[in-house]
Amino acid sequence: MTQSAPPPLIGLPACHVGTGPFATHRVGEKYAEAVLLGAEGMPVIVPAFGQRLDIRALVDRLDGLMLTGSPSNVDPRHYDGPAFRKGTERDTDRDATTLPLIRAAIAAGCPLLAICRGFQELNVALGGSLHAYLHEVPGRFDHRSDKARPMDERYEPAHEVTLTAGGAFHAIQDTERLMVNSLHGQGIDRLAPSLAVEAVAADGTIEAVSVPDAPAFAIGVQWHPEWRVLDVFHHRRLFAAFGAASRMRAAMRTSDDRLRAVAARP
């Protein structure tokens, strides 16, 4: 890292795994590493404690928020969807944490990057809905990966997305099309009213969104840009933009703290 200021604190909401005294709050290493290397930030794990967390106080301390992917899915009760079939993974504690956290972060001007499950959480938090089994929707591709393949192969580019001309994501990437990986079983059905489409797949699946009225960076992508973040140009560009926004918030918060300290002097 080359910046002289401390790295921005970037929150990573965890998945809640297991029950009882041996339950864990987990974040995959690839996400924490992408924050460290791609955004040049300090990753901070946020436990999935739901209403036990003071969300507003947490957001006030963060310079950025990144929502990760997960094997679990957003519970359909949050968007009035049909109940999941048996065997579909869910994480109600994560839902109870991330959905209000997203709304608070956007309102506070805390930069937000949402990935895969996080992308779906962003849509649901702002009033949208999901296809629980996207591959069963007529005309849609199967966007899931083959879990029998080696991990490197699962994260290979799988299909093309077309970027919205003049959009926030287009401004970051400066291109009309990208090849992206694809490892998701759910997808956006009804787009939240406050979101704008930033990229779509050939089958019409929404692959990237932004929050145009947000006071700071707020972008979500359905694919996994955290994977080998420094080796893929458009992954690197996205994390660099997120990191720059987070450093800007950190600088503003530091300046505000100094002003308050001066004002408090006798």
Side-chain angles (χ1 to χ4, degrees):
M1 299 182 187
T2 58
Q3 75 258 25
S4 56
L9 294 178
I10 297 178
L12 297 173
C15 296
H16 191 210
V17 182
T19 59
F22 299 107
T24 61
H25 296 260
R26 299 181 186 175
V27 171
E29 183 178 49
K30 63 192 174 91
Y31 297 107
E33 188 173 60
V35 165
L36 186 69
L37 301 179
E40 296 189 345
M42 178 65 71
V44 179
I45 296 176
V46 177
F49 285 152
Q51 294 182 352
R52 289 185 287 168
L53 290 176
D54 185 334
I55 295 294
R56 183 173 178 179
L58 173 61
V59 168
D60 286 345
R61 299 288 296 275
L62 293 176
D63 302 312
L65 177 67
M66 192 178 87
L67 302 156
T68 70
S70 171
S72 68
N73 300 278
V74 180
D75 195 299
R77 67 185 175 86
H78 293 294
Y79 53 89
D80 297 324
F84 281 153
R85 299 170 192 162
K86 185 177 180 180
T88 303
E89 293 189 55
R90 69 191 75 203
D91 185 342
T92 56
D93 291 322
R94 172 164 166 156
D95 293 344
T97 304
T98 56
L99 299 182
L101 185 55
I102 288 166
R103 294 187 285 264
I106 292 172
C110 180
L112 171 71
L113 175 59
I115 295 171
C116 198
R117 189 198 209 270
F119 171 83
Q120 296 157 11
E121 289 169 332
L122 174 60
N123 188 55
V124 171
L126 300 183
S129 66
L130 304 174
H131 291 298
Y133 306 98
L134 182 63
H135 59 286
E136 296 179 1
V137 177
R140 298 301 178 92
F141 304 149
D142 189 344
H143 288 260
R144 299 172 299 175
S145 68
D146 182 354
K147 294 182 180 180
R149 298 171 64 193
M151 195 62 69
D152 283 355
E153 294 181 11
R154 290 180 62 197
Y155 281 88
E156 288 178 349
H159 64 78
E160 189 175 71
V161 297
T162 301
L163 278 56
T164 301
F169 194 69
H170 181 263
I172 292 170
Q173 300 296 348
D174 193 27
T175 187
E176 295 179 357
R177 293 178 177 83
L178 293 173
M179 286 295 296
V180 301
N181 53 40
S182 187
L183 298 92
H184 60 102
Q186 297 199 322
I188 288 179
D189 178 9
R190 182 183 70 254
L191 184 70
S194 57
L195 292 179
V197 175
E198 295 287 345
V200 295
D203 65 349
T205 297
I206 297 172
E207 292 277 344
V209 296
S210 67
V211 188
D213 294 334
F217 182 105
I219 284 178
V221 296
Q222 183 61 84
W223 64 91
H224 286 267
E226 81 285 352
W227 182 253
R228 294 188 171 174
V229 63
L230 298 183
D231 297 334
V232 181
F233 185 64
H234 65 86
H235 293 184
R236 193 164 67 244
R237 274 196 162 186
L238 177 58
F239 271 88
F242 174 54
S246 299
R247 282 189 291 279
M248 183 179 297
R249 174 171 166 83
M252 291 174 61
R253 290 199 311 109
T254 300
S255 178
D256 289 345
D257 289 345
R258 288 172 178 168
L259 288 174
R260 282 192 288 269
V262 170
R265 291 175 184 170

